[in-house]
Amino acid sequence: MATDFFERQSTARRHTKWLIWAFSLSVIGILATTFIVTTMAVGAAEGGPNGFRPGGNFPWHIPGGATVASLALIAGGSMFKIAQLAGGGTGVAERLGGRRIYPNSLEPNERRLLNVVEEMALASGVPVPPVFMMKGEEGINAFAAGFSPSDAVIGVTRGCVEQLSRDQLQGVIAHEFSHILNGDMRLNLRMIGILHGILLLGLVGRELLRIASYGGGNRKRNDGVMYLMLVGLVMMVLGFLGMFLGNLIKAAISRQREFLADASAVQFTRNPAGIAGALKRIGAAVFGSRLNNPRAAEASHMYFAEGIRGLFATHPPLAERIRRSEE
């Protein structure tokens, strides 16, 4: 049993490492494809043999500029989004509608939650983080957010606190402490930033295409307008294609980290029935684990269970997680 347990942790970490490389390579692939496709498009527009203008030099500055602009947009958009989250876990929790629970709270459910968080902090060896509750959310869910254990927070929904037993709540909180301990929070925030940068690339490309389309009746003979349309089209297509691939890889990374966190939760609590019971309760609950906050989608990979309905599942199936927890 112990061998299988630690082997599952090792496998999850190994798979995550490969997926992170795939995520990085997808960004590099977007830039390389921008250069190649723009070069081919400009060459075709020039109409000369092999894409060279008769009697002139190939305008390498156009594909080069498009590639540099794409890199600047992805990097700038990523840094902007990460700067928005510079408040660490507190900023994320507040964006999702969380309200901090203070140690002097007299509300029984809040006191129970704070006690469980303190117990799991001791079991995992992590400092006790601030705790936030999303009181407007009836689904059973939770998250850990922050760039490091020093600015980490634990967030839980009202449904999580009210509908779970103490053992089940302990399993959920232990799962979130695994995300703190294993560095998943920083990875999650960086993925939010990079995906925002890739999305920005597509949006700017679409805007360039729109501007070029109003370039006037003579735009077909206007090299500047024609090149602007080509660059805009390439950036738009690659931006939205990059979002598709990025979300696909993000979901795959998230699923591996969820398996790792489930296994770690069993390690911290020594009670497989706790997290397994919480997962079963989600499956039977009216609202499941759904979140209603309008910003819930951008942090979909950070939750304890599937928080939104999307094209890509960011969490493994409940039945699979329950089976692994009870093995």
Side-chain angles (χ1 to χ4, degrees), residues 201-220:
L201 174 67
L203 294 176
V204 170
R206 185 172 66 183
E207 186 65 16
L208 290 177
L209 194 61
R210 187 188 67 81
I211 293 171
S213 68
Y214 293 100
N218 296 322
R219 61 180 180 273
K220 291 184 179 179

Side-chain angles (χ1 to χ4, degrees), residues 234-303:
V234 170
M235 290 172 64
M236 182 185 72
V237 172
L238 290 179
F240 291 123
L241 178 61
M243 273 297 292
F244 177 85
L245 294 175
N247 276 310
L248 180 65
I249 297 172
K250 179 190 80 168
I253 292 173
S254 175
R255 288 194 294 270
Q256 290 301 317
R257 303 313 282 183
E258 292 307 311
F259 282 136
L260 174 59
D262 286 347
S264 297
V266 176
Q267 182 184 22
F268 295 153
T269 62
R270 302 296 178 187
N271 179 18
I275 188 167
L279 293 167
K280 291 175 182 177
R281 189 71 186 85
I282 289 173
V286 173
F287 293 98
S289 54
R290 292 194 303 275
L291 298 179
N292 298 316
N293 189 282
R295 294 192 176 99
E298 71 176 11
S300 60
H301 57 303
M302 299 174 63
Y303 307 130

Side-chain angles (χ1 to χ4, degrees), residues 98-224:
R99 181 185 66 79
R100 185 169 179 180
I101 301 175
Y102 290 95
N104 60 357
S105 173
L106 299 178
E107 206 280 324
N109 280 334
E110 294 182 359
R111 288 300 318 161
R112 183 181 64 148
L113 173 62
L114 291 174
N115 289 339
V116 168
V117 170
E118 291 173 1
E119 292 168 4
M120 291 301 98
L122 183 62
S124 62
V126 173
V128 179
V131 181
F132 286 76
M133 185 185 296
M134 295 175 280
K135 294 205 167 184
E137 301 287 358
E138 297 184 67
I140 301 172
N141 225 321
F143 66 88
F147 286 100
S148 68
S150 62
D151 71 0
V153 306
I154 295 286
V156 299
T157 61
R158 177 168 62 87
C160 184
V161 177
E162 291 181 351
Q163 299 181 51
L164 298 184
S165 68
R166 196 180 195 285
D167 284 351
Q168 292 168 350
L169 181 61
Q170 194 177 57
V172 172
I173 299 302
H175 174 104
E176 299 308 325
F177 268 98
S178 171
H179 288 312
I180 298 175
L181 190 63
N182 290 306
D184 297 341
M185 300 181 306
R186 180 180 297 162
L187 174 63
N188 287 337
L189 292 180
R190 285 176 177 171
M191 284 196 292
I192 290 175
I194 293 173
L195 285 171
H196 181 79
I198 294 174
L199 175 62
L200 184 63
L201 174 67
L203 294 176
V204 170
R206 185 172 66 183
E207 186 65 16
L208 290 177
L209 194 61
R210 187 188 67 81
I211 293 171
S213 68
Y214 293 100
N218 296 322
R219 61 180 180 273
K220 291 184 179 179
R221 296 191 295 272
N222 186 317
D223 286 348

Side-chain angles (χ1 to χ4, degrees), residues 36-55:
I36 293 170
V37 174
T38 307
T39 299
M40 294 172 61
V42 171
E46 289 294 319
N50 299 320
F52 281 88
R53 187 185 327 182

